[in-house]
Amino acid sequence: MSELPKAYQPQSVESKWYQYWLDEKFFEADPSSSKPGFSIVIPPPNVTGMLHMGHVLNNTIQDILARKARMDGKEVLWLPGTDHAGIATQVMVEKSIRKEGLTRHDLGREAFLEKVWEWKEKHGGIIINQLKKLGASCDWSRERFTMDEDYSRCVQRVFVKLYRQGLIYRGKRMVNWCPASLTALSDEEVIMTPQKSFLWYFKVQVAEDPSTWMTIATTRPETIPGDTAIAVNPKDPRYGHLIGKHVIRPLPAENQARIPIVADEHIDLEFGTGVLKVTPAHDKADFEIGKRHDLEIIDILNPDGTTNELAGRDLAGLDRFKARERAVELLREIGVLEKEEPYENKVGFSERAKVAVEPRLSEQWFLKYPEVEASHRCVREGHMKFFPDRWAKTYDHWMSHIQDWCISRQLWWGHQIPVWYHNETGEIHCDIDPPEHPECWTRDADVLDTWFSSWLWPFATMGWTGDATLDADNPSLQTFYPTTDLVTGPDIIFFWVARMIMAGYAFMGDLPFRNVYYTGIIRDKQGRKMSKTLGNSPDPLELIGQYGADALRFGTMRSAPLGLDVLFDEKDVELGRNFCNKLWNACRFRQMQGGMQEGEIDPMRLTTDDKWILIRLHTAISEVNQAFEDYKFNEATTTLYRFFWNEYCDWYVESSKAALQGADPALQANTLALMDFILSNTLRLFHPFLPFITEELWHGMGFSSDLPGDQGGRTIGLAHWPKAFDEDFLEHYGLDACYAEFVESKYELVRMGRNLRGEFNIPSKQKIPYVLQPSETLSDYELDTLRILLNAERLDVEADYQAPKGTPAVPSQLGTLFLPLEGLVDVEAEKGRLIKELEKITKEVEKVEKKLANSGFVDRAPAEVVQEHRQRLSDWQQKLEYARKSLEALTASGS
RNA sequence: GCGCGGUUAGCUCAGUGGUAGAGCACCACACUGACACUGUGGGGGUCACUGGUUCGAACCCAGUAUCGCGCACCA
């Protein structure tokens, strides 16, 4: 092995190993393997997207799961790919051609789609490369794209099948219309956003009784020309007598029509004036009222949100918001505007285009979801597990109120609907293949919602054909479907997760994944969502360049608890970097002691510290394994961090210097062998989190070839995952808990000794003598470790030590430790320290005494808890007594 | 309106019935042959509030406040 540089330099290391992994095909899944299968499909990012912190969180978790599964001996498939992202991509390309002064209509469908494909080829690979930089261990040989030929075929096959089952139908319905993208949207793509607006009150005259006026409150006065009725609640005593009469609609001024007053249960008596203007063309609820009362529908808007001639000469041709202002002016001019009051209401916005959607009546394709019942049940009954499980409730609620899905989009980029209309008869041809004599048919121009392709992702990516016999012979589907885990954000639980579940049951007859892990949302330090416009979204690639991918992964995982949003702070990445450096240097320290040890660890030569660190490792492994079971990755990282830094580096490595610097070569060798054991376990435990540095050290330390049996291997990624020690192991190495207790008390003594040094302002570099009055016999080895840990010049053991008056001392399990100050004794300082100490101890004693004085506690608490409290009390009392005596002695001596 | 989260040290958060924790920040000391991307020691908390259950509550229950999110046709 070569000597390691002083600080870890991730840049060259990372690219070197990633290339090695690719060359060796470690990430490629073999469906014919005899190992048990483990699979994850990546939530496909937008093909032209860039890696952001959300991707980092999401994909790091997937990578951790995949790498851990490989070490567990599974055949792992992590299937990557990208999504064509219909609206997002089309909008992007439209924007780019607009710079040349062109619209997509100038180009025409075919030429425009060519442009989009060009764009895809140019930008499509970026995010994939970024994932590689992060260390993602995807099987790149299986990369898929939702518009691949095979994949598209799956989409069409599904459409045809559902159409033939009668679950897909076409109809004229109220849909969410995006006036910017000029397409229909699903309910899920509409974000309800609070808007500060006004509630305008205007009055209308009753036609049959001109002296009577009714006042209506509205937020959309521009739609008045589209009103075809006004409605009141039949139970409303104010208006009951007017039902069936008519009012004069004030706009358009040149066409003040008479519209009926209808009664409808839907009207809220409390709201506004209790009178609703009914605009069936521009409001979902109004449309329903219109249907119930057979009202005329007047559509006053163009698809792009401007008003048309039906809005009347004063309003026509305006943008809808301009028209609103103008309508208010007109009402005022006519003299029917009574008042306006500020009002906050929620308005639906297009998720992509960020403009207010319009409810609009149009001809669209809809899907009545298949397998709702089975999909609903599998989560409710726990066949599929959600982490955290509270999302199951959200899922349950949505599934209980499921609405048909509007799947057609008036876009060009996407899967065109496989439906042709006969030019003369109007007959419908729905099939994967076009009809014969295509010249007699016209294909439906619409494409499918992007999610109508991504809902097939778990099996369409694995070569699904829909033919039961063929699929049964497909090893990928057989080995890797259902997939094991899905890792995604809760924001797409309806868009994607729920729909995949239904598709899984409908087309594969089985659920698509067994567990779903929902990540939190990454926010900035102030808790704001990360967004381009705020500029608060750090570029992960820059962070990787600066700190290393492992550091980014570690920092992210350490601050990402299950189920909560993550407040991202670059400090976390810095912490990750520092940790990698610590790991690096701990291995470097081991390496400086010489090469791998030939012999096995000799149980007879284990020191108490050795046994302690083995027990701590055992605990760490158990905790990490538990954390994995619970999908609590931050707990796993915290445990590993604590074990490695606080326990191994701070205590074990320091105390092992006694053995390493000692005169016993056999003990030295044994210590080194033990270090190798600990380090090889540690590196493996860290590997899923820190793949690059652990691989580098694995090879650098010689573990890749020199370790016996299944611990070695060409890559740490295929080394066996550490198991918590079994009984035989514990017995073989004599790992009794009493050793841990002893070592803990030794370290406690050290801590007190160091504290004394601090209290008396003795610089930590100054080597000073300590005196120990032991309460039990300590071996030379123990005394050596104490001396080293205390950084003592020497440690004198004197059973009947007579300390000079005022010598600071602390009592401990192992004896009393004195800090002789030789002429520097400051009695007042020691008094001060003791008084402070007394106060502290007294408080603790009182606390425990109070508890033990409570007969309820003593009688009813479990015996072991009471016993533990008694022990604690006696410990504190001892300290109290010691401090009191010391103080008395000082006071009596009269300084 | 309904539902779901959060409220613990200056900051960000762990902690789910038995001695209040971590990282960062802060103070002091030390560039000691693994590591200054470091080490050692230290200060710092009515666990949002009010009640209840319990021998015992940060933790369980009820309610309040506050912040955030989701769902819902209130114009």
Side-chain angles (χ1 to χ4, degrees):
Chain A
M1 61 187 162
S2 55
E3 197 179 318
L4 302 171
K6 201 166 173 181
Y8 174 55
Q9 286 141 6
Q11 287 73 22
S12 58
V13 168
E14 292 181 354
S15 48
K16 174 181 74 183
W17 288 116
Y18 203 85
Q19 194 53 49
Y20 175 71
W21 296 330
L22 292 182
D23 292 345
E24 297 288 326
K25 303 189 191 307
F26 287 138
F27 304 154
E28 291 190 17
D30 173 9
S32 63
S33 165
S34 58
K35 299 176 185 175
F38 176 97
S39 50
I40 299 180
V41 288
I42 204 170
N46 290 1
V47 64
T48 60
M50 302 283 271
L51 198 74
H52 57 63
M53 290 307 299
H55 293 125
V56 169
L57 174 64
N58 187 280
N59 288 288
T60 298
I61 291 171
Q62 292 175 70
D63 195 45
I64 288 168
L65 290 169
R67 288 178 184 272
K68 161 78 161 47
R70 282 189 200 98
M71 296 177 79
D72 278 336
K74 307 267 177 62
E75 186 63 36
V76 172
L77 169 61
W78 180 11
L79 197 152
T82 48
D83 191 292
H84 67 281
I87 297 185
T89 309
Q90 173 161 333
V91 164
M92 228 179 278
V93 176
E94 284 189 277
K95 208 183 264 176
S96 102
I97 60 171
R98 199 171 308 143
K99 283 181 198 144
E100 303 158 33
L102 295 170
T103 69
R104 66 177 154 125
H105 299 284
D106 296 330
L107 292 177
R109 188 165 190 143
E110 221 165 292
F112 177 75
L113 284 178
E114 249 169 62
K115 284 261 179 208
V116 185
W117 278 106
E118 271 172 36
W119 180 275
K120 185 252 170 190
E121 293 311 320
K122 195 168 152 201
H123 302 270
I126 295 177
I127 195 157
I128 296 297
N129 281 317
Q130 291 177 320
L131 284 170
K132 292 178 180 174
K133 287 260 185 278
L134 185 65
S137 61
C138 303
D139 181 350
W140 299 109
S141 71
R142 289 175 179 254
E143 187 185 332
R144 297 287 186 269
F145 176 51
T146 50
M147 296 258 289
D148 284 343
E149 211 178 310
D150 286 352
Y151 200 103
S152 300
R153 196 158 276 275
C154 292
V155 174
Q156 304 204 324
R157 190 183 302 130
V158 160
F159 184 97
V160 171
K161 188 170 179 196
L162 292 170
Y163 176 80
R164 291 186 181 157
Q165 287 176 342
L167 292 173
I168 284 179
Y169 61 90
R170 196 168 186 238
K172 200 164 189 185
R173 294 269 196 101
M174 255 343 226
V175 295
N176 309 294
W177 183 263
C178 174
S181 311
L182 302 179
T183 178
L185 300 173
S186 67
D187 294 343
E188 288 70 32
E189 287 164 287
V190 177
I191 313 287
M192 299 309 283
T193 316
Q195 291 292 299
K196 283 197 196 321
S197 174
F198 290 94
L199 202 51
W200 286 279
Y201 290 78
F202 68 100
K203 58 181 181 181
V204 290
Q205 193 171 26
V206 176
E208 288 84 352
D209 180 6
S211 65
T212 306
W213 293 75
M214 298 171 78
T215 303
I216 303 173
T218 182
T219 55
R220 299 202 60 185
E222 75 279 14
T223 63
I224 292 174
D227 292 350
T228 51
I230 68 168
V232 297
N233 193 296
K235 294 196 199 84
D236 195 326
R238 292 169 293 183
Y239 308 115
H241 61 289
L242 296 171
I243 292 166
K245 296 190 170 146
H246 296 76
V247 297
I248 312 287
R249 184 185 63 205
L251 297 174
E254 72 273 21
N255 181 20
Q256 293 189 330
R258 284 162 58 115
I259 56 175
I261 302 169
V262 300
D264 199 283
E265 299 282 351
H266 164 266
I267 312 307
D268 181 350
L269 285 86
E270 308 295 319
F271 189 90
T273 59
V275 186
L276 172 72
K277 66 192 251 333
V278 184
T279 327
H282 298 295
D283 186 282
K284 236 177 183 171
D286 289 10
F287 178 73
E288 295 302 321
I289 295 174
K291 271 211 297 208
R292 288 197 283 273
H293 299 276
D294 199 21
L295 299 176
E296 190 190 347
I297 296 169
I298 303 175
D299 187 342
I300 61 145
L301 289 176
N302 296 312
D304 66 355
T306 57
T307 41
N308 62 29
E309 68 283 0
L310 292 174
R313 65 173 137 72
D314 295 317
L315 289 176
L318 298 174
D319 174 79
R320 53 195 164 140
F321 300 107
K322 270 269 170 282
R324 184 171 305 167
E325 288 170 23
R326 185 78 188 105
V328 173
E329 282 169 23
L330 291 171
L331 292 174
R332 192 176 283 125
E333 283 165 19
I334 303 169
V336 295
L337 185 72
E338 293 197 323
K339 62 172 174 177
E340 60 177 40
E341 53 188 39
Y343 183 67
E344 193 176 296
N345 63 339
K346 288 198 172 175
V347 176
F349 272 67
S350 156
E351 190 210 11
R352 282 284 156 205
K354 314 283 180 204
V355 298
V357 299
E358 281 297 333
R360 182 161 186 256
L361 194 61
S362 69
E363 187 90 22
Q364 303 288 345
W365 288 94
F366 296 89
L367 167 68
K368 190 170 160 49
Y369 287 102
E371 297 292 344
V372 174
E373 180 52 32
S375 305
H376 200 163
R377 228 180 22 231
C378 77
V379 174
R380 199 174 41 208
E381 293 177 359
H383 304 306
M384 182 188 292
K385 295 215 164 42
F386 282 9
F387 296 86
D389 66 355
R390 65 187 150 83
W391 293 113
K393 213 165 174 176
T394 306
Y395 175 82
D396 188 82
H397 185 258
W398 189 76
M399 289 299 285
S400 316
H401 298 85
I402 198 161
Q403 305 272 324
D404 290 357
W405 176 12
C406 175
I407 53 173
S408 47
R409 296 289 178 275
Q410 287 65 52
L411 304 172
W412 289 350
W413 176 242
H415 301 98
Q416 193 170 353
I417 289 177
V419 166
W420 288 259
Y421 306 98
H422 194 275
N423 292 340
E424 278 151 32
T425 63
E427 184 193 338
I428 285 184
H429 171 92
C430 175
D431 203 343
I432 297 177
D433 302 311
E436 285 175 46
H437 307 294
E439 66 281 1
C440 306
W441 299 76
T442 306
R443 184 165 183 177
D444 193 302
D446 289 355
V447 300
L448 290 159
D449 181 3
T450 298
W451 299 102
F452 192 86
S453 58
S454 23
W455 75 323
L456 312 175
W457 190 247
F459 49 88
T461 49
M462 293 190 197
W464 173 75
T465 64
D467 178 317
T469 335
L470 289 176
D471 290 341
D473 285 339
N474 176 334
S476 288
L477 282 176
Q478 292 308 309
T479 308
F480 297 119
Y481 190 94
T483 64
T484 316
D485 294 328
L486 177 77
V487 180
T488 190
D491 48 335
I492 53 176
I493 190 166
F494 311 137
F495 280 117
W496 197 44
V497 180
R499 289 166 178 168
M500 276 194 290
I501 296 172
M502 290 184 274
Y505 277 110
F507 306 112
M508 292 295 296
D510 200 353
L511 40 74
F513 24 75
R514 305 196 184 283
N515 307 294
V516 186
Y517 178 100
Y518 293 101
T519 65
I521 293 167
I522 299 240
R523 299 171 178 280
D524 71 2
K525 255 195 285 189
Q526 282 107 55
R528 300 173 304 181
K529 259 189 187 169
M530 290 198 167
S531 74
K532 274 186 196 160
T533 44
L534 277 173
N536 59 350
S537 177
D539 178 358
L541 271 295
E542 270 175 34
L543 293 171
I544 289 173
Q546 199 177 345
Y547 298 100
D550 287 332
L552 177 62
R553 295 164 61 113
F554 195 73
T556 310
M557 290 325 300
R558 202 171 178 281
S559 55
L562 173 61
L564 289 175
D565 288 355
V566 184
L567 267 58
F568 178 81
D569 187 341
E570 197 168 318
K571 286 263 181 222
D572 293 326
V573 186
E574 207 178 306
L575 176 90
R577 193 245 345 234
N578 295 353
F579 184 80
C580 288
N581 197 52
K582 190 75 181 176
L583 189 59
W584 184 260
N585 274 289
C587 289
R588 191 163 158 260
F589 174 76
R590 165 62 189 88
Q591 200 190 39
M592 291 166 92
Q593 314 300 317
M596 289 278 299
Q597 292 301 307
E598 291 297 318
E600 300 257 318
I601 300 165
D602 178 359
M604 300 309 289
R605 289 187 199 279
L606 288 180
T607 66
T608 50
D609 298 287
D610 293 340
K611 291 181 180 179
W612 176 78
I613 196 65
L614 281 169
I615 292 170
R616 297 312 301 158
L617 175 64
H618 171 69
T619 308
I621 295 173
S622 311
E623 286 179 18
V624 169
N625 284 332
Q626 184 61 49
F628 264 104
E629 262 178 49
D630 300 337
Y631 292 79
K632 291 182 173 171
F633 303 107
N634 70 317
E635 282 186 13
T637 43
T638 305
T639 295
L640 289 172
Y641 184 95
R642 184 208 67 217
F643 168 73
F644 192 70
W645 198 314
N646 302 133
E647 294 170 356
Y648 179 76
C649 291
D650 290 351
W651 288 107
Y652 181 73
V653 172
E654 292 309 315
S655 62
S656 74
K657 286 176 183 172
L660 295 177
Q661 293 164 12
D664 181 352
L667 183 60
Q668 280 177 14
N670 209 47
T671 303
L672 293 181
L674 185 71
M675 280 188 165
D676 289 339
F677 179 79
I678 303 282
L679 288 174
S680 96
N681 272 278
T682 305
L683 290 178
R684 279 178 281 150
L685 289 168
F686 273 116
H687 180 253
F689 303 90
L690 310 171
F692 295 107
I693 189 175
T694 49
E695 183 79 284
E696 172 76 4
L697 289 170
W698 187 253
H699 289 260
M701 298 294 290
F703 293 161
S704 55
S705 51
D706 300 350
L707 274 183
D710 60 23
Q711 291 182 56
R714 285 179 302 150
T715 170
I716 188 173
L718 293 174
H720 280 202
W721 181 255
K723 300 264 183 303
F725 305 152
D726 57 21
E727 288 299 321
D728 290 348
F729 187 98
L730 294 171
E731 200 176 313
H732 182 64
Y733 290 100
L735 301 182
D736 193 289
C738 71
Y739 294 108
E741 267 173 50
F742 172 80
V743 172
E744 302 281 354
S745 52
K746 184 165 85 176
Y747 296 164
E748 181 58 24
L749 177 63
V750 170
R751 229 176 265 123
M752 290 191 292
R754 286 169 173 172
N755 175 274
L756 270 190
R757 183 198 277 269
E759 293 273 354
F760 289 90
N761 292 323
I762 298 164
S764 49
K765 72 168 172 195
Q766 192 176 329
K767 293 226 173 190
I768 46 167
Y770 283 89
V771 176
L772 178 68
Q773 204 172 37
S775 53
E776 61 182 274
T777 312
L778 296 173
S779 69
D780 287 347
Y781 168 79
E782 306 299 351
L783 293 171
D784 281 347
T785 54
L786 281 171
R787 188 174 42 75
I788 286 177
L789 293 169
L790 284 165
N791 193 30
E793 184 194 5
R794 54 173 206 280
L795 178 64
D796 300 328
V797 180
E798 294 189 32
D800 46 4
Y801 179 61
Q802 297 294 316
K805 284 221 156 54
T807 301
V810 284
S812 87
Q813 293 272 307
L814 301 185
T816 306
L817 186 71
F818 294 88
L819 180 64
L821 291 167
E822 295 177 17
L824 298 169
V825 176
D826 180 343
V827 175
E828 286 311 310
E830 174 63 358
K831 263 194 201 169
R833 184 186 75 84
L834 285 168
I835 289 169
K836 246 172 58 187
E837 188 79 3
L838 264 175
E839 272 174 25
K840 224 163 125 182
I841 300 171
T842 309
K843 259 191 214 159
E844 295 297 331
V845 169
E846 278 170 1
K847 230 161 70 179
V848 189
E849 269 178 345
K850 199 175 150 198
K851 243 182 151 173
L852 283 165
N854 181 347
S855 64
F857 173 69
V858 180
D859 295 343
R860 307 177 71 161
E864 60 202 46
V865 174
V866 178
Q867 181 51 35
E868 188 266 327
H869 276 75
R870 290 213 169 102
Q871 181 63 47
R872 201 192 307 161
L873 179 64
S874 116
D875 290 351
W876 282 116
Q877 275 171 338
Q878 256 179 28
K879 283 184 190 165
L880 181 70
E881 199 185 336
Y882 187 87
R884 196 176 277 152
K885 265 192 191 160
S886 309
L887 188 60
E888 268 167 24
L890 280 187
T891 314
S893 74
S895 47

